[in-house]
Amino acid sequence: MSGIAERLAEVRERMAAACARVGRPPGSVTLVAVSKLKPAALIREAYAAGQRDFGENYAQELRDKAAELADLKELRWHAIGPLQTNKVKYVAKAAHAYHALERLEVAEELSRRRLEAPLPCHVEVNVGGEASKSGLAPEQVESFLKTVRALPGLRIDGLMSLPPPTDDEQVARGYFRALRALAERHGLPGLSMGTTHDYELAIEEGATLVRVGTALFGERA
């Protein structure tokens, strides 16, 4: 065994402590275990330890793992990476939620291909204004939401961001607060923010989903 159960318990304890510090119930935050590039055997181990939500960055990897792990009936797949339109079909079929919606053509293709219940989506926002990262500028969110909210097959639950990495706690909090304020302005309850490096701060600033990989599965090759 790889020790995932112990690491999962530690992350959940730290999540609960972060919730307690700001008076939130521990059940108000969903842990998405980021399993990209990790073997299915490790996902099975985490599932056996009680984890149900898993995040994959690559659509074809999500497709393959969803097929391989189809016997795990309560497993929920979260697609968390940018999508090309020709890969949308895999997410539309297999995903429980999509965290990185930022292009209208992807939204339209997801809407067209989603045959089951509407796909819960988080719109990605580039809060740090980084040229190297995807995501909408904050001022683009309103018009984008107006368009995609009209599409059948999708449900817009909130906003997502992956802010610039920083060791300055106050800078990190500033990014999270900016995303929270933007979500509140548009009546969106969901906030997908926070990774292994900063998920406790993100929870203190209102995250409803945190995406944790390295703290659970170790470094990726």
Side-chain angles (χ1 to χ4, degrees):
M1 300 293 280
S2 68
I4 283 177
E6 291 78 8
R7 292 196 292 273
L8 183 60
E10 180 184 353
V11 168
R12 290 196 177 281
E13 286 176 9
R14 293 173 68 169
M15 289 175 62
C19 286
R21 286 194 291 272
V22 290
R24 297 180 62 186
S28 63
V29 187
T30 297
L31 171 62
V32 178
V34 179
S35 50
K36 69 175 182 180
L37 304 179
K38 295 296 180 179
L42 290 185
I43 298 173
R44 285 190 182 277
E45 191 175 331
Y47 186 93
Q51 180 62 22
R52 293 294 181 266
D53 295 271
F54 293 86
E56 291 288 337
N57 283 62
Y58 308 115
Q60 287 165 294
E61 185 177 0
L62 187 156
R63 173 200 64 190
D64 295 344
K65 286 179 176 174
E68 185 173 355
L69 299 168
D71 58 303
L72 304 181
K73 299 303 183 184
E74 296 177 4
L75 191 155
R76 293 179 290 268
W77 293 109
H78 297 249
I80 59 175
L83 266 180
Q84 298 171 311
T85 51
N86 64 334
K87 307 286 179 60
V88 162
K89 56 189 175 185
Y90 307 132
V91 169
K93 180 179 180 181
H96 167 78
Y98 180 48
H99 290 237
L101 188 64
E102 51 130 5
R103 294 169 53 210
L104 181 56
E105 56 266 38
V106 168
E108 291 171 338
E109 189 69 3
L110 277 171
S111 173
R112 187 174 74 84
R113 288 187 173 271
R114 183 70 170 185
L115 302 178
E116 302 172 7
L119 180 67
C121 294
H122 282 63
V123 172
E124 184 172 5
V125 182
N126 188 343
V127 291
E130 296 173 277
S132 61
K133 283 187 181 170
S134 54
L136 300 172
E139 61 271 17
Q140 296 175 313
V141 170
E142 183 174 3
S143 61
F144 186 76
L145 285 174
K146 185 176 181 180
T147 302
V148 298
R149 277 172 163 160
L151 295 173
L154 303 183
R155 188 184 81 210
I156 306 302
D157 280 1
L159 302 180
M160 183 275 263
S161 190
L162 187 64
T166 177
D167 291 323
D168 188 321
E169 179 179 312
Q170 291 309 310
V171 171
R173 288 186 186 277
Y175 290 129
F176 295 143
R177 288 170 182 165
L179 192 71
R180 180 178 183 174
L182 189 63
E184 289 174 347
R185 193 179 313 151
H186 295 292
L188 294 168
L191 286 170
S192 175
M193 59 187 194
T195 63
T196 288
H197 181 65
D198 54 15
Y199 68 89
E200 292 161 285
L201 294 181
I203 289 170
E204 291 175 5
E205 298 301 337
T208 58
L209 300 109
V210 291
R211 308 177 306 273
V212 178
T214 303
L216 296 174
F217 297 109
E219 296 289 345
R220 295 177 191 90

